[in-house]
Each structure stands twice: as C-alpha cells, then as structure tokens.
Amino acid sequence: MGGISIWQLLIIAVIVVLLFGTNKLRNLGSDLGSSIRGFKKAMSDEDEKKDQPKEQDADFNAKLADKQHTPASKDDARDK
C-alpha cells in the first residue's frame, strides 16, 4: 500500500531521462564512479600508511642534530 511500485519507478526514470538527457546522466554516472574509485584508493593508501612507521621530516632531524652538537657553554668551560 505505502510502497512504490515498479510502474511508479519507471515513470520517475522516464521523467529524469527526459529532463536531463542521456548524455548528462552518462557523464554523471562516470563522474560518480571515478569519485568512488578515488575514495577507495585514498582509504587503502591510508591503511598502508598506518602499517608503516611514521617518518619524521628532514627539518626536524636537522634541528635535533643541531641541539645534540651544540658547543659547550662558558659555564661548562669554567667548571673544568
């Protein structure tokens, strides 16, 4: 009673095709498919990144190395 029958779905489909045309609907379908494909690829890339250890950027490593190789301060020289 409250559901949509097959005939109502066919009438809606015919109206949509008449309004938008087959070319526009075909382009819409291919765009939707490529966006879903891109989303799936991004999700799988994210999963691969989680499996790999995090990489630190080179700038961070350079700053860390500079802090470790700082020359002794004047106070350290007086204590010796």
Side-chain angles (χ1 to χ4, degrees), residues 1-54:
M1 281 200 148
I4 298 176
S5 70
I6 189 72
W7 294 110
Q8 291 170 335
L9 287 175
L10 286 174
I11 291 170
I12 292 171
V14 168
I15 291 171
V16 168
V17 169
L18 290 174
L19 285 176
F20 295 108
T22 56
N23 286 336
K24 193 170 235 181
L25 290 176
R26 189 177 304 128
N27 290 339
L28 179 69
S30 64
D31 291 343
L32 181 65
S34 63
S35 64
I36 291 172
R37 202 173 311 121
F39 179 75
K40 285 182 180 179
K41 182 181 177 192
M43 292 301 291
S44 66
D45 289 346
E46 184 69 25
D47 290 341
E48 290 174 7
K49 287 181 183 179
K50 285 182 182 178
D51 294 341
Q52 297 174 354
K54 276 191 169 180

Side-chain angles (χ1 to χ4, degrees), residues 48-67:
E48 290 174 7
K49 287 181 183 179
K50 285 182 182 178
D51 294 341
Q52 297 174 354
K54 276 191 169 180
E55 295 180 16
Q56 296 174 346
D57 60 354
D59 189 38
F60 176 77
N61 290 334
K63 288 179 184 178
L64 184 63
D66 288 342
K67 284 183 181 180

